[in-house]
Amino acid sequence: MSERVKVAFYWCASCGGCEEAVVDLAEKILDVINLVDIVFWPVAMDFKLEDVERMPDNSITVSFINGGIRLSEHEKVVKLLRQKSKLVVAFGACSSWGGIPGLANLYTREEILERAYLTTPTTHNPDKIIPGSKTEVEIDNTKIEVPVFLASLKPLDEVIDVDYYIPGCPPTPNVTWKALETLLSGNLPSKGSVLGASDRSLCDECPLNKTKPENVLIKEFKRIVNFNPEPNKCLLVQGLPCLGPVTRGGCGALCVNANMPCTGCFGPLSDVRDYGGKAISYLASILDLDNEEDIKRELSKIIDATGLVYKYYLPKSALKGKVGGSKS
Amino acid sequence: MFEPKIVVFACNWCTYAAVDLAGTSRISYPPNVRVIRVMCSGRVDPQFVLEAFKNGADGVIVAGCHPPVDCHYTNGNIKALRRFTLFRRLLNDLGIEQERFRLEWISASEADKWVKVVSEMVEDVRKLGPFKPKLGVKEV
Amino acid sequence: MKEIIIDPITRLEGHGKIIIVLDDDGNAKRAYFQVPELRGFEKFAEGRAAEDMPIITPRICGVCPMAHHMASTKALDDLYKIDPPSAAKKIRELAYNVFMLEDHALHFYILAGPDFIVGPTAPKSERNVVGVIKKVGLEVGKRIIVTRKKLRDINTRLAGKVIHPVFGVPGGVSKPVSEDDAKEIRAIANEALDFAMFTLKAFKDLVLSKKEILDLIISEAYTHRTYYMGLVDDKNRVNFYDGKIKIVTPSGKEFAKFDVHEYQNYIQEHVEPWTYIKFPFIRQVGWKGFVDGEDSGIYCVAPLARLNVADGMATPLAQEAYEEMYEMLSGKPVHHTLAFHWARVIEMVYAAERIKELAEDPELTDKNVRVMPTSTPSIGIGVVEAPRGTLIHHYETDELGRIKRANLIVATQQNAARIALSVDKAAKSFVKRGIIDEGLLNMVEIAFRAYDPCHACGTHSLPGSMPFKIYLYNEDGKLLNVITREQ
């Protein structure tokens, strides 16, 4: 790229972990600032939305957007950034597939609001006030606008066209750095590519992979709640539902290094259409039992199949969330 | 009257032969099914079922050879049993009525069972109404 | 009726907005502080496996994920009624103090630093992290970055991931600390304490030595007489990881001291229709609206509140600094919002001293770090002090340990009402006859930063300035003027 690269960062329904992950580039952040102009980063810099509105279309080289789309105003801002940017990159699990807040799609908006504002044990709400049930509230004769809490959480590419994805919850600094190098090289991969991470499964880079046989077969599933895995031995072989085999590598197996199973925050490999379906398929197929009763018993030890296989992925999945009663 | 669309993943060696047999025996069954022949029920990935629902199926059947010994590939049907036992829980969490998904064992000679399964499924799903693969609440 | 909207850019276009309602004379009648942020964690926790909660809840906040991870892990200990081995508790507390130190340091140098080290009246162009580095020197600037990185690397070793840790399991931690790790941690512990003491000195030299800043800290504009809440150990000293919850009245008397299991007897949350954040208040006192004083249930958490409820600090250097603060600010409790900064630095010293104690503890490398649960789960409640205040996780499960209901009392939420008071006071002081004084912007900005607000524990302000926009509307809702704070 000949002209100076202009970069924007924006966050939607996120936890701030993606921003911290960028700060965790530590001394490399100075290299980034030398290489690019940051034209918009609400968390860190004083550029306003109007400044972006005034920019010519396509004048931002690349916008990195993290967080899922949960409020009406998120939709508004990302559409503006799309218009002003040559490239849009979904940064992190939430933006790519919905992330953990995407589990909210197992419930309706009304159920979520009811729990938050009416039925938690410490809520004191005699007038049964529910914020977000109206877009405008009148107080002291003044109408106050409350942004709309949308019916579901959406990944970024359901609202705007997305060029690239950087996976992870959050993307680790090495992945972010590699992705930046790719973008700055000018040698851009094909649209829709995942940047910075590996093209192989997590097992490929896992230090315990040498203890994993070609065909994993187990007789029972374990729960970390009452099982202490022995160190230095493949967690799957020990019966813990580790999602390494169906998850993209790139993080360096951080969780496994802490003796904990992979929960899939780097998402699927490129040839997978639905991460959850793939994960179900894998986990069930390693269970080496033939009798229906035995199979049922062991699979019942996975007490939350949906939370296990769709922890970061539900809004991107084939059905996007709970479908609700078809007749209602 | 609502005519449900039922996608069937049928194993080549047993169920597909039963479908054939029903045809050559001129047994009539509801025309709501779209049969996709696969080499083994063990080849059916839960992703296929999700894709079917996503693309407008009102119900899905995965059908193969009777366990434990009929499978042409020794234990493909057992693999299917394991997968879809777990997968059914996912469908349940996602609010999909259990009548919309069936795992069935139908041998090459069981044309009558094929007809019975399909007829039941069509009736059950017809009662439920069309499957709408979207969130069950309206946007403001 | 006129309406003014101040739109701070912590999260641009609405993520933390101030609306001021004017009376007929154009004076501020009431200010509203709106947090439009909701993700529904309490609902979608339902159906999840309890052991997944320490993985799920850190996603409430990526700035303080360790706080949620730890509150959640402690709730699991309680759910299964297991007491972790001593080494596991020490590993957890070590990681926790490392986290507190680096989080407080981030806030002090990068967020609050511009206001105090560079100075509240310095030109805006210098009131940022670059200005801080100029003032303290490039060497120190590098030291801040390097120390932060080292501390975060320790927690990658201990907790698996520094952003969204994974090491907490019911009854302990997922892996012991190796001798190699311990050696590394001990080396960094010494540096960390030097760094904390350096920060305390910098605070004294650059902030407390200036009379105008001291005057600002104790000025009435930044003073609210509220209740305070925080965790204390068995000797009533500040503790981040464990203890009893203590509440003191605005006059400093002990109001209550209780185990977290009784939290529902003391805390309730008030709902307003114009914001997504709920406003916790002290149940026995009741919700009396946005007012301070003994009769109002509004209370305050976070560094200053912790120091106000405690009798002192558990480590010598922090204790010395603690005594110095109360002596200079003439007794307890301190109601000055800006003293949050001072309290935060004192807590950095405590965290660093505690890190050193734990790093040198021979038990740290003990291999016994886990006890297995034997009881059937039903209810689990856990509490820690997050950097921004008391954090409570409460789960109810079925007999398999699947969450049926969850309740979360999040740190920043508990300061929401007091933040609203600060905003209200600022508006009433600086908006007169429809004219907005520049002082409003300054005051709101500085008050905000003191709380280190992390709205709905997700809206956290990092480096840079916090500019505002003011929209002035007439009573028909027509836009009359837009005033933008220039750099």
Side-chain angles (χ1 to χ4, degrees), chain C residues 226-233 235-240 243-258 282 299-313 322 325-326 331-335 343 347 385 389-390:
Chain C
T226 60
Y227 287 75
Y228 297 93
M229 181 191 284
L231 277 183
V232 290
D233 68 12
K235 295 194 179 89
N236 276 324
R237 299 171 307 192
V238 170
N239 196 297
F240 302 140
K244 290 242 184 338
I245 300 173
K246 188 176 164 193
I247 301 173
V248 298
T249 66
S251 52
K253 280 196 299 247
E254 179 172 319
F255 178 81
K257 194 166 129 185
F258 58 93
I282 293 168
Y299 66 98
C300 172
V301 296
L304 182 63
R306 286 192 283 259
L307 269 54
N308 273 342
V309 300
D311 292 345
M313 310 301 287
Y322 175 93
M325 180 180 94
Y326 283 105
K332 278 163 69 179
V334 166
H335 295 294
E347 288 194 340
E385 281 294 328
T390 315

Side-chain angles (χ1 to χ4, degrees), chain A residues 113-119 123 125 129-131, chain C residues 38 271 276 278:
Chain A
L113 293 170
E114 188 188 307
R115 172 62 84 234
Y117 299 109
L118 293 179
T119 60
T123 297
N125 189 3
I129 291 161
I130 297 187
Chain C
L38 175 72
V271 182
Y276 284 108
K278 290 189 280 188

Side-chain angles (χ1 to χ4, degrees), chain C residues 78-355:
Chain C
D78 186 47
L79 180 68
Y80 289 99
K81 306 287 171 253
I82 24 177
D83 191 28
S86 171
K89 286 188 200 163
K90 284 175 179 165
I91 294 167
R92 287 183 188 175
E93 194 184 345
L94 172 62
Y96 202 74
N97 277 280
V98 167
F99 151 71
M100 289 294 277
L101 178 56
E102 55 99 349
D103 190 88
H104 273 5
L106 178 82
H107 180 270
F108 179 74
Y109 280 105
I110 297 178
L111 218 169
D115 286 338
F116 286 92
I117 298 173
V118 185
T121 52
K124 282 291 283 181
S125 57
E126 286 172 26
R127 284 176 57 192
N128 53 39
V129 66
V130 180
V132 172
I133 290 174
K134 234 198 251 171
K135 202 87 175 180
V136 297
L138 189 62
E139 279 314 301
V140 176
K142 278 191 188 147
R143 187 173 175 188
I144 297 165
I145 292 175
V146 169
T147 307
R148 178 185 144 87
K149 188 173 184 330
K150 283 183 181 171
L151 289 169
R152 286 174 78 85
D153 286 347
I154 289 183
N155 271 358
T156 305
R157 280 173 181 254
L158 293 174
K161 288 167 73 189
V162 64
I163 303 173
H164 306 323
V166 298
F167 74 141
V169 287
V173 292
S174 63
K175 67 161 193 179
V177 174
S178 70
E179 291 295 340
D180 278 357
D181 285 344
K183 207 189 273 174
E184 188 101 347
I185 291 164
R186 279 193 287 272
I188 296 165
N190 285 318
E191 275 181 59
L193 184 54
D194 287 350
F195 175 70
M197 290 309 289
F198 168 82
T199 305
L200 180 65
K201 187 171 181 304
F203 186 77
K204 286 183 190 167
D205 293 350
L206 298 167
V207 181
L208 297 180
S209 62
K210 294 186 189 128
K211 190 179 177 304
E212 72 271 20
I213 296 183
L214 212 52
D215 287 345
L216 193 72
I217 290 175
I218 60 170
S219 69
E220 186 57 30
Y222 293 103
T223 301
H224 304 287
R225 290 162 186 84
T226 60
Y227 287 75
Y228 297 93
M229 181 191 284
L231 277 183
V232 290
D233 68 12
D234 53 5
K235 295 194 179 89
N236 276 324
R237 299 171 307 192
V238 170
N239 196 297
F240 302 140
Y241 173 74
D242 207 6
K244 290 242 184 338
I245 300 173
K246 188 176 164 193
I247 301 173
V248 298
T249 66
S251 52
K253 280 196 299 247
E254 179 172 319
F255 178 81
K257 194 166 129 185
F258 58 93
D259 184 272
V260 68
H261 288 89
E262 299 165 49
Y263 84 99
Q264 293 179 58
N265 297 335
Y266 296 92
I267 301 172
Q268 283 195 319
E269 300 166 286
H270 170 78
V271 182
E272 290 279 336
W274 43 269
T275 182
Y276 284 108
I277 208 163
K278 290 189 280 188
F279 298 95
F281 60 95
I282 293 168
R283 186 175 179 173
Q284 288 88 338
V285 187
W287 176 259
K288 305 287 162 61
F290 292 94
V291 287
D292 65 356
E294 301 264 347
D295 298 334
S296 166
I298 290 179
Y299 66 98
C300 172
V301 296
L304 182 63
R306 286 192 283 259
L307 269 54
N308 273 342
V309 300
D311 292 345
M313 310 301 287
T315 54
L317 296 170
Q319 174 64 19
E320 211 174 287
Y322 175 93
E323 286 167 15
E324 195 178 357
M325 180 180 94
Y326 283 105
E327 196 174 315
M328 262 181 102
L329 297 178
S330 24
K332 278 163 69 179
V334 166
H335 295 294
H336 313 303
T337 305
L338 299 188
F340 264 86
H341 297 291
W342 198 344
R344 198 170 282 122
V345 177
I346 295 167
E347 288 194 340
M348 282 174 68
V349 175
Y350 165 69
E353 287 182 289
R354 189 70 188 128
I355 291 168

Side-chain angles (χ1 to χ4, degrees), chain B residues 12-125:
Chain B
N12 177 62
W13 306 98
C14 292
T15 309
Y16 199 81
V19 177
D20 250 357
L21 180 62
T24 49
S25 314
R26 302 196 164 219
I27 310 174
S28 70
Y29 58 86
N32 306 57
V33 289
R34 317 287 194 270
V35 182
I36 297 168
R37 183 170 61 144
V38 291
M39 290 313 284
C40 179
S41 56
R43 175 64 187 92
V44 184
D45 190 309
Q47 292 181 87
F48 300 176
V49 180
L50 288 168
E51 281 291 313
F53 278 120
K54 182 181 171 182
N55 287 295
D58 298 302
V60 178
I61 300 172
V62 175
C65 311
H66 282 272
V69 292
D70 279 8
C71 178
H72 191 80
Y73 305 99
T74 314
N75 62 357
N77 50 359
I78 299 293
K79 283 186 173 151
L81 175 64
R82 292 178 200 144
R83 278 194 188 117
F84 291 104
T85 302
L86 189 55
F87 181 66
R88 215 188 269 284
R89 303 238 312 270
L90 194 76
L91 290 183
N92 184 51
D93 284 356
L94 295 176
I96 296 173
E97 301 88 342
Q98 58 177 7
E99 293 89 341
R100 293 192 191 274
F101 176 77
R102 285 174 83 143
L103 176 65
E104 291 290 345
W105 312 125
I106 302 169
S107 76
S109 63
E110 291 179 314
D112 50 342
K113 184 171 181 188
W114 159 252
V115 172
K116 181 170 169 283
V117 165
V118 167
S119 307
E120 276 174 15
M121 180 93 174
V122 170
E123 272 323 297
D124 288 348
V125 174

